[in-house]
């Protein structure tokens, strides 16, 4: 999770919402990603998707069985869907996302027994560190918006 937090810092430096993610297989990071929807002009360029893409290229397969995805913020519906399709074995996330979280905050897709893939999900790992980055980022954006409007 610490590696994902470093990537969240890179996202913030790039002007993106500070979310980072890594894919780990057998104790080795095989995929890295951070939020890039603004800079990539791509609504799907969330940290999780970027890390899954990187891992798939590294491994040479779009399926990532036996891998764990670590992400600093609870994934949204789109990202949980991508995790399902990649066949990730375990999802570990930091801060809850009360607005779009799809692992229990708004909806709990991994708990949906009718879906064809199931994984272990662990939340609130280094949640305070991830949450602090998000709060700082949005506080700075609000201050900048206020400055522009004055």
């Amino acid at each position: 999770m610490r590696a994902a937090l470093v990537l969240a810092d890179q996202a913030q430096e790039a002007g993106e919402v500070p979310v980072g993610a890594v894919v780990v297989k057998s104790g080795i990071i095989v995929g890295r990603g951070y939020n890039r929807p603004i800079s990539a002009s791509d609504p799907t360029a969330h940290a999780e998707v970027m890390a899954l893409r990187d891992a798939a290229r590294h491994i040479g397969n779009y399926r990532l069985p036996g891998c764990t995805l670590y992400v600093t913020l609870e994934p949204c519906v789109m990202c949980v869907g991508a995790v399902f399709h990649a066949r990730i074995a375990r999802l570990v996330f930091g801060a809850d996302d009360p607005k779009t979280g799809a692992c229990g905050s708004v909806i709990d897709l991994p708990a949906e027994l009718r879906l064809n893939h199931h994984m272990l999900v662990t939340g609130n790992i280094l949640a305070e560190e991830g949450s602090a980055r998000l709060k700082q980022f949005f506080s700075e954006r609000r201050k900048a918006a206020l400055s522009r409007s004055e």
Side-chain angles (χ1 to χ4, degrees):
M1 186 62 82
R2 296 237 181 253
L5 288 165
V6 169
L7 290 164
D9 292 338
Q10 290 179 16
Q12 184 162 359
E13 290 166 14
E16 302 276 1
V17 176
V19 179
V22 295
V23 176
V24 175
K25 183 170 179 109
S26 303
I28 298 167
I29 294 175
V30 295
R32 291 176 169 79
Y34 59 85
N35 266 9
R36 299 195 55 231
I38 297 166
S39 59
S41 297
D42 179 355
T44 69
H46 289 196
E48 300 93 325
V49 172
M50 302 308 289
L52 292 171
R53 289 175 181 167
D54 191 40
R57 277 190 299 272
H58 182 264
I59 291 173
N61 192 342
Y62 74 105
R63 299 282 197 210
L64 303 170
C67 291
T68 299
L69 174 67
Y70 294 86
V71 60
T72 59
L73 180 65
E74 180 182 1
C76 69
V77 170
M78 175 186 71
C79 292
V80 171
V83 169
F84 283 158
H85 286 288
R87 301 298 192 259
I88 291 289
R90 183 171 180 225
L91 169 64
V92 179
F93 68 89
D96 290 338
D97 185 344
K99 293 185 179 183
T100 64
C103 294
S105 290
V106 175
I107 191 169
D108 194 352
L109 287 177
E112 179 54 62
L113 297 177
R114 293 174 293 178
L115 295 172
N116 68 335
H117 177 69
H118 303 282
M119 68 191 116
L120 294 172
V121 178
T122 306
N124 296 310
I125 304 301
L126 299 179
E128 290 179 19
E129 292 186 39
S131 182
R133 284 165 171 79
L134 291 161
K135 287 176 184 172
Q136 176 191 359
F137 176 81
F138 287 111
S139 173
E140 289 172 6
R141 286 186 92 182
R142 283 189 293 275
K143 286 178 189 172
L146 272 173
S147 307
R148 287 191 302 269
S149 68
E150 292 176 354

